[in-house]
Amino acid sequence: MLLLFAAGLCIGSIFPLGKLATAQGVAPLVYVGAAAFGATLVLMLVSAVAGHCLRPTAATIRYALVAGQLTFAIPWSAVVWTIAHLGSGIPAIIQSTAPIFTLMLVYVLRLERPNPVRLIGLALGLAGALIILLSRSSGAMQPASAVWYGAALIAPIVLAIGNVFRTTNWPSGQTPLVLAAWSLLAATLGIALCSLALIGAGAFTWSGGITMEAFIIMAGQGIATGLGYAFFFRLQQVGGPVFVSQLSYVNTAVGLGFAVALFSEQLSRWSWLALGLIVIGVLLVNRTVGAGTARRK
């Protein structure tokens, strides 16, 4: 449980720090890429100090190339991009549906037998996500904003796919720290290639200027992300995809707490209703998390 909260606190810091960085003019892809690169350095340093061999096998490289994009590059790029348009509170709430989507995928792939209580939790969680997608923070329906709500929904869906992938494809005999390091490096490369492609297409521009405040924020994010994913991959090793997906719940608490307390973001009654449904849904989904959860073989 301590691992879960430590990982959630470190990884969930991307909600408040990402908002502060984008307010400083840092492009979302630049921020997420810097966080991934910083985390890679932290994880490789910790792995070396712990005496782990960092030389990757072919299986580790294949795993990292996929896990890096599903675990960090795609979902957190989507989160930081939408923070500038929705604030940090709404994306944090939407991200909390990852356990719901994880269980749905586990059932579809028949990694676990359906449980009536968990199915009710699935329905409640999805209802909460739909409420958020159909309403703004002001409580008024704004179809134009649905694009950003939909973009925020990318994160929990991709995280759910990653939760299942990492469990079912974990390379035999490999340690969590080494896999985390190579996965975050793969995420860095994926973000860099995506940025170059967008620049070539004229869809992404960046002046290259970074203030000292922004640099400090990005450095702090890199350290927090590195430590967070060290804990996260250990959780993945000892638990199944549904268990590790509970991390999203802690991330939400961190993001929502900072959104309301630090940034004074105002959430509508629809958002609070959605959060309530999602919390109940997640609790029901994880009520029997110790029984029948798919685990790494």
Side-chain angles (χ1 to χ4, degrees):
M1 189 60 70
L2 288 177
L3 275 177
L4 186 69
F5 281 101
L9 181 62
C10 291
I11 297 174
S13 66
I14 198 168
F15 290 105
L17 294 182
K19 178 163 183 171
L20 291 173
T22 53
Q24 290 283 333
V26 180
L29 282 178
V30 173
Y31 182 75
V32 178
F37 180 67
T40 300
L41 296 179
V42 170
L43 288 165
M44 287 193 169
L45 176 61
V46 174
S47 296
V49 171
H52 297 307
C53 177
L54 284 167
R55 181 179 299 174
T57 63
T60 297
I61 293 175
R62 288 193 299 269
Y63 179 93
L65 287 174
V66 178
Q69 314 319 310
L70 298 178
T71 302
F72 190 86
I74 297 174
W76 294 113
S77 293
V79 165
V80 177
W81 212 298
T82 55
I83 281 175
H85 301 272
L86 302 176
S88 59
I90 294 296
I93 293 175
I94 293 177
Q95 191 257 347
S96 71
T97 60
I100 307 294
F101 289 112
T102 300
L103 183 62
M104 185 184 300
L105 190 56
V106 164
Y107 283 164
V108 169
L109 296 177
R110 298 183 179 180
L111 298 175
E112 181 181 323
R113 288 191 298 272
N115 178 291
V117 175
R118 286 185 160 189
L119 289 174
I120 294 173
L122 273 175
L124 291 176
L126 290 176
L130 286 174
I131 288 174
I132 293 175
L133 289 174
L134 294 174
S135 65
R136 282 174 58 99
S137 295
S138 62
M141 296 297 176
Q142 299 287 342
S145 300
V147 173
W148 293 112
Y149 288 108
L153 196 57
I154 291 173
I157 293 174
V158 175
L159 285 172
I161 297 172
N163 289 338
V164 174
F165 173 83
R166 288 188 306 275
T167 293
T168 57
N169 292 272
W170 190 286
S172 178
Q174 193 54 277
T175 63
L177 277 175
V178 173
L179 287 179
W182 284 105
S183 295
L184 268 293
L185 178 59
T188 304
L189 295 176
I191 294 168
L193 290 175
C194 180
S195 299
L196 291 175
L198 291 174
I199 290 173
F204 174 61
T205 57
W206 180 50
S207 63
I210 296 179
T211 65
M212 180 56 68
E213 291 84 353
F215 178 80
I216 293 174
I217 293 171
M218 288 192 293
Q221 185 67 78
I223 295 172
T225 301
L227 294 175
Y229 276 95
F231 299 138
F232 177 78
F233 271 74
R234 174 57 179 165
L235 281 171
Q236 186 78 62
Q237 183 186 41
V238 300
V242 177
F243 177 78
V244 80
S245 71
Q246 293 179 98
L247 180 68
S248 295
Y249 192 41
V250 184
N251 291 344
T252 296
V254 174
L256 193 59
F258 276 103
V260 175
L262 184 61
F263 302 121
S264 300
E265 293 182 13
Q266 299 297 316
L267 301 177
S268 72
R269 62 182 182 278
W270 292 107
S271 297
W272 289 112
L273 172 62
L275 177 61
L277 290 175
I278 291 171
V279 168
I280 295 172
V282 169
L283 291 176
L284 291 177
V285 162
N286 290 286
R287 182 182 177 187
T288 54
V289 72
T293 300
R295 292 181 180 270
R296 178 179 61 87
K297 302 298 183 184

